[in-house]
């Protein structure tokens, strides 16, 4: 199956440094169309399209917008989550670099839909090199064209800030620790006001949905997952890069046909918190219900150790845990200790049982998605590559 | 309170020179970043001064400064080298690149050169995985770095001293 470019429609076509180029390619037409509709009509169109959040959770975007629009507050806010920290993900950077105006237009339509006058674009500190270009593009566009004000807020280096409640804490100038929920952002978000927080890629879908209609959008993709998904493919492939394919496309088409993987042993889909798919299951369709996350796809060939992969992932979470809840803060440290012991060939079989048990506890008891998803790769590699673990036990 | 008074008396220079007036609590994070940039680090005096200026506790400022990986307490090197060590970069040999940076600069992961020229840290994914391995020096990004490129890249940022060559 070839690529299907909806989110990346302008990448490589529109000059990202020229608003005139964007206008010449139909820029801001969807925003003008949206402004002729009532905010509720816009919300209903997005709701009908079945668009789901591309940050990984897949929550229906229209429902989020409707909840926020109907929630009372002194002000409403839209946040664009550009804190793309998931390991192996760079599709949002690609979008920010190649189509900033398309993103602003999507944000502006979201603002119109929920009655927000201000939007925040939360840019991860690692993408500081994009800031100048983004600010120039924003200045060139102007608040009058957008009908709202977009302010760029920079992070300061914290993976957990990609989690929506931690991100809002960070915009408020605090430590980026996850909040207890409920209440959810559409009711009590930024400064406790109704807030819609959407991923960059989610917002990139808004312009085509408004322009072409929800019925058109629903013809692409697969059942409960309409539209396309942008994937960042890396690892043992010939052609790493960003690929956009309709939902339901088989993993093999993405990693083998498009990216040129050979001799595949396993594919981690969804970054460090993602699932590990063994080569035998490469026919798995890419949907929110199977494997997806934010669309990081790391291919590992036959030479790679799965215990090493799990250790790398757990090392990441042990460092990035915000430390607020015990199962995540302590759990990741203990997982790491157990894995390291195994790698040093001094572990026992009971350590493998402990890995399983602790993973289960973390998945049900951690406060936010970070901790809940942290043991994913341990669980999956144990299931599909358990022999590798047992071969490391001290004899 | 005694400490806060002491902080007020020794208002650090940045207190008077920052362009932005101290606005709302929401700008505290970006303000701490600015101070770190201007002062090349965050001393305990800086942390205390910020707390007084913003009407928050020093522990709150400290809490923020130690939470984010792009902030931190203590002096900061003039050139900050970050080597990505996440899985996509690992698969493409980031270990060899990190080892070469260590060798050229003569410092280990997390270290700062004695003269404050360079520091090195290995970091989690910086989102440049399409051309791994990637490193950053200050705000510049380098993709597809080979160990052999390291010396050339680093020498753009000033004379390299203290590395293995210097000792030889």
């Amino acid at each position: 199956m070839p690529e299907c470019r909806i989110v990346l429609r302008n990448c490589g076509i529109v000059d990202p440094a020229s608003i005139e180029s964007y206008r010449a390619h139909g820029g801001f037409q969807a925003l003008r169309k949206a402004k002729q509709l009532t905010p509720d009509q816009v919300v209903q169109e997005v709701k009908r399209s079945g668009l789901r959040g591309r940050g990984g959770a897949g929550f229906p975007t229209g429902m989020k917008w409707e909840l926020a629009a109907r929630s009372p507050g002194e002000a409403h806010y839209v946040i664009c989550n550009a804190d793309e920290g998931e390991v192996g993900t760079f599709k949002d950077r690609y979008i920010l670099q190649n189509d900033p105006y398309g993103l602003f237009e999507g944000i502006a339509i979201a603002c119109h839909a929920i009655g927000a006058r201000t939007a925040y674009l939360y840019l991860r500190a690692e993408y500081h090199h994009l800031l100048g270009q983004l600010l120039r593009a924003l200045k060139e566009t102007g608040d009058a064209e957008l009908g709202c004000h977009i302010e760029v807020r920079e992070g300061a280096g914290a993976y957990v800030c990609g989690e929506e409640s931690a991100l809002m804490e960070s915009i408020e100038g605090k430590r980026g620790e996850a909040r207890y929920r409920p209440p959810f952002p559409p009711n009590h978000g930024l400064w406790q006001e109704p807030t819609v927080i959407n991923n960059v890629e989610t917002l990139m879908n808004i312009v085509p949905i408004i322009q072409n209609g929800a019925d058109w959008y629903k013809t692409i993709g697969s059942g409960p997952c309409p539209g396309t998904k942008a994937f960042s493919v890396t690892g043992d492939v010939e052609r790493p890069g960003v690929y956009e394919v309709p939902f339901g496309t088989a993993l093999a088409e993405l990693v083998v046909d498009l990216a040129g993987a050979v001799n595949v042993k396993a594919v981690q889909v969804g970054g460090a918190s993602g699932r590990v798919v063994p080569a035998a299951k490469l026919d798995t369709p890419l949907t929110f219900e199977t494997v997806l996350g934010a669309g990081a796809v790391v291919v590992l060939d036959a030479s790679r150790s799965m215990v090493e992969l799990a250790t790398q992932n757990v090392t990441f979470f042990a460092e990035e845990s915000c430390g607020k809840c015990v199962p995540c803060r302590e759990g990741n440290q203990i997982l790491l200790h157990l894995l390291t012991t195994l790698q040093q060939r001094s572990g026992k079989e009971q350590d493998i049982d402990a890995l399983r048990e602790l993973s289960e506890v973390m998945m049900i008891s951690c406060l936010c998605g970070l901790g809940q998803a942290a043991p994913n790769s341990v669980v999956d590699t144990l299931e599909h590559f358990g022999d590798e673990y047992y071969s490391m036990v001290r004899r | 309170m005694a400490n806060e008074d002491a902080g007020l008396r020794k208002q650090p220079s940045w207190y008077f020179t920052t362009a932005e007036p101290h606005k709302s609590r929401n700008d505290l994070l970006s303000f701490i970043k600015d101070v770190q940039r201007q002062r090349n680090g965050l001393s305990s005096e800086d942390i205390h001064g910020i707390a007084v200026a913003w009407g928050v506790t020093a522990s709150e400022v400290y809490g923020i400064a130690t939470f984010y990986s792009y902030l931190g307490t203590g002096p900061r090197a003039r050139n900050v080298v970050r080597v990505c060590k996440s899985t996509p970069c690992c698969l493409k040999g980031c270990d060899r690149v990190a080892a070469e940076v260590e060798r050229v600069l003569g410092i280990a992961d997390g270290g700062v050169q004695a003269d404050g020229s360079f520091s090195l840290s290995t970091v989690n994914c910086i989102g440049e995985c399409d051309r791994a391995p990637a490193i950053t020096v200050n705000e510049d990004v380098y993709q597809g770095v080979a160990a052999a490129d390291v010396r050339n890249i680093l020498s753009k940022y000033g004379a390299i001293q203290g590395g293995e060559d210097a000792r030889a």
Side-chain angles (χ1 to χ4, degrees), chain A residues 93 124 155 157 174-175 319, chain B residues 26 33 63 68-69 85 125 127:
Chain A
R93 165 178 59 84
R124 70 185 300 219
K174 302 171 189 160
R175 285 165 68 90
E319 286 173 12
Chain B
N26 311 318
K33 270 175 106 171
Y68 295 97
S69 65
K85 60 160 181 201
C125 191

Side-chain angles (χ1 to χ4, degrees), chain A residues 85-90 93 122 124-129 153-158 160-161 170-177 191 234-237 240-241 268 298-300 304 309 312-313 315-316 319-320 322, chain B residues 23-30 32-33 37 59-60 62-71 82 85-93 95 122-132 136 139-141 143:
Chain A
E86 189 57 68
V87 170
T89 320
F90 48 91
R93 165 178 59 84
Y122 187 90
R124 70 185 300 219
E126 289 81 353
Y127 289 173
H128 180 80
H129 59 102
R153 282 278 173 157
E154 275 196 284
V160 72
C161 287
S170 185
I171 291 184
E172 293 178 14
K174 302 171 189 160
R175 285 165 68 90
E177 289 180 1
W191 299 300
T234 59
D236 299 318
V237 294
Q268 183 162 35
V298 181
V299 180
L300 299 121
R304 310 296 183 178
L309 174 70
Q312 273 180 17
N313 291 331
T315 305
F316 173 78
E319 286 173 12
E320 296 291 349
C322 83
Chain B
K23 295 186 294 188
S24 69
R25 172 68 184 70
N26 311 318
D27 299 310
L28 182 53
L29 172 56
S30 51
I32 296 173
K33 270 175 106 171
R37 199 173 296 133
S59 74
E60 187 164 359
Y62 183 81
I64 294 168
T66 53
F67 183 85
Y68 295 97
S69 65
Y70 276 49
L71 299 175
R82 296 185 171 95
K85 60 160 181 201
S86 283
T87 305
C89 282
C90 268
L91 296 176
K92 300 293 175 191
D95 288 353
T122 57
V123 296
N124 289 322
C125 191
I126 56 174
E128 307 292 340
C129 344
D130 45 347
R131 286 183 57 217
T136 62
E139 283 154 9
D140 305 327
V141 180
Q143 287 184 307

Side-chain angles (χ1 to χ4, degrees), chain B residues 33-57:
Chain B
K33 270 175 106 171
D34 288 345
V35 172
Q36 177 178 265
R37 199 173 296 133
Q38 285 176 31
R39 307 265 289 176
N40 237 345
L42 281 174
S43 66
S44 57
E45 191 195 14
D46 293 331
I47 287 174
H48 202 78
I50 295 168
V52 172
W54 286 68
V56 297
T57 62

Side-chain angles (χ1 to χ4, degrees), chain A residues 16 25 64 157 174 187 196 212 223 244 305 335 395:
Chain A
H25 287 85
K64 212 183 236 187
K174 302 171 189 160
N187 297 315
V196 155
N212 306 320
E244 183 178 357
S305 155
L335 283 182
R395 299 291 168 197

Side-chain angles (χ1 to χ4, degrees), chain A residues 227-266:
Chain A
T228 57
K229 180 81 190 79
F231 290 93
S232 317
V233 186
T234 59
D236 299 318
V237 294
E238 287 287 317
R239 298 176 292 277
V242 182
Y243 296 94
E244 183 178 357
V245 294
F247 279 107
T249 300
L251 182 55
E253 292 184 50
L254 178 68
V255 300
V256 178
D257 301 351
L258 288 172
V262 285
N263 206 6
V264 178
K265 178 178 187 178

Side-chain angles (χ1 to χ4, degrees), chain B:
Chain B
M1 284 314 280
N3 277 341
E4 287 187 13
D5 292 344
L8 265 177
R9 277 198 298 277
K10 308 190 287 183
Q11 273 161 354
S13 54
W14 56 261
Y15 180 82
F16 301 104
T17 55
T18 43
E20 288 277 297
H22 310 309
K23 295 186 294 188
S24 69
R25 172 68 184 70
N26 311 318
D27 299 310
L28 182 53
L29 172 56
S30 51
F31 186 78
I32 296 173
K33 270 175 106 171
D34 288 345
V35 172
Q36 177 178 265
R37 199 173 296 133
Q38 285 176 31
R39 307 265 289 176
N40 237 345
L42 281 174
S43 66
S44 57
E45 191 195 14
D46 293 331
I47 287 174
H48 202 78
I50 295 168
V52 172
W54 286 68
V56 297
T57 62
S59 74
E60 187 164 359
V61 179
Y62 183 81
I64 294 168
T66 53
F67 183 85
Y68 295 97
S69 65
Y70 276 49
L71 299 175
T73 56
R76 207 169 69 138
R78 286 186 292 282
N79 298 295
V80 179
V81 183
R82 296 185 171 95
V83 179
C84 181
K85 60 160 181 201
S86 283
T87 305
C89 282
C90 268
L91 296 176
K92 300 293 175 191
C94 69
D95 288 353
R96 290 192 296 276
V97 175
E100 180 64 7
V101 177
E102 289 188 6
R103 197 186 67 81
V104 169
L105 294 179
I107 50 176
D109 181 15
V112 184
Q113 285 191 321
D115 67 352
S117 297
F118 287 92
S119 68
L120 165 66
S121 41
T122 57
V123 296
N124 289 322
C125 191
I126 56 174
E128 307 292 340
C129 344
D130 45 347
R131 286 183 57 217
I135 74 170
T136 62
V137 184
N138 305 332
E139 283 154 9
D140 305 327
V141 180
Y142 297 91
Q143 287 184 307
V145 177
D149 305 330
V150 165
R151 174 168 291 279
N152 268 341
I153 291 172
L154 295 180
S155 59
K156 292 181 196 167
Y157 298 86
I160 299 169
Q161 287 168 347
E164 201 143 279
D165 300 356
R167 265 181 262 139

